[in-house]
Amino acid sequence: MTKVVVVTGASKGIGRAAALHLAMQGFTVFAGVRKLEDGTALEQEAKGQVTPILIDVTKQEQVVAAAHQVETAIGTNGLAALVNNAGVAVAAPLEYLPLDELRAQLEVNLVGQLGVTQAFLPLLRQAKGRIINISSIGARIAGPLLGAYHASKFALEALTDSLRLELQPLGIEVISIEPGAVATPIW
């Protein structure tokens, strides 16, 4: 049986590239997308090697349904990896940033990541898989106009560090990847 990976935020950018690359490496890939047409396009490009699943990380019922869909498809084999890649960037001076936009930023880049992790942890336990959180160099340095984004990524680093300590006794690795500037649609 091939190893199974779930990648969130696979419609574009890093998530799409990761899903396609993992499929080419022989993994069974479930690619989280928010729109069916994005999933169809990804599936066609991957020549059937990627299975799209609907996941808006801010909608817990979709997250739980996606975890159930993957569990039904793979049975007791478990999940080799969960790549938490979904993310957004809100740009504005903090002085003028509407608080609802800050909440939305944190909901996608932080709260949603934990919700996905919680939903897929039973499958990760079965295979002693790993969690890979795609963070950002923006978790190391903060600058003007992206305070909400930086705050979400700094917080994701803390969440990742805590999860690493909590799950290490179970044999589950928790990894943070902090890419620098990448030409993706998020910018």
Side-chain angles (χ1 to χ4, degrees):
M1 171 91 185
T2 61
K3 291 186 175 185
V4 180
V5 178
V6 171
V7 179
T8 66
S11 297
K12 300 177 181 99
I14 292 171
R16 183 182 188 87
L20 292 169
H21 178 75
L22 289 164
M24 287 182 358
Q25 298 301 313
F27 288 89
T28 298
V29 178
F30 289 89
V33 297
R34 288 185 301 143
K35 294 184 257 176
L36 286 175
E37 57 268 19
D38 290 339
T40 301
L42 182 59
E43 191 173 26
Q44 288 172 350
E45 186 175 344
K47 297 176 178 47
Q49 299 300 310
V50 170
T51 302
I53 52 176
L54 281 179
I55 301 180
D56 178 333
V57 301
T58 67
K59 297 181 178 167
Q60 194 60 22
E61 66 279 356
Q62 267 190 20
V63 171
V64 170
H68 180 70
Q69 180 182 347
V70 171
E71 180 180 27
T72 300
I74 68 173
T76 60
N77 294 315
L79 193 59
L82 168 63
V83 181
N84 281 315
N85 173 71
V88 296
V90 173
L94 290 172
E95 179 180 3
Y96 301 109
L97 180 69
L99 292 180
D100 284 344
E101 288 190 37
L102 174 62
R103 288 182 183 99
Q105 175 76 86
L106 295 171
E107 188 66 32
V108 174
N109 290 12
L110 180 66
V111 178
Q113 306 308 319
L114 182 58
V116 171
T117 299
Q118 290 172 340
F120 283 96
L121 259 171
L123 296 174
L124 289 159
R125 276 191 188 99
Q126 289 174 343
K128 292 196 180 193
R130 64 184 55 177
I131 299 164
I132 303 166
N133 289 334
I134 306 299
S135 182
S136 168
I137 191 66
R140 298 253 177 212
I141 56 170
L145 306 178
L146 288 172
Y149 175 78
H150 290 298
S152 71
K153 293 301 185 174
F154 271 74
L156 182 60
E157 290 293 323
L159 186 112
T160 300
D161 289 346
S162 292
L163 273 172
R164 182 179 304 116
L165 295 170
E166 292 173 7
L167 298 176
Q168 188 259 341
L170 302 174
I172 297 173
E173 289 184 74
V174 183
I175 300 157
S176 178
I177 297 178
E178 300 168 338
V182 177
T184 71
I186 196 172
W187 304 115

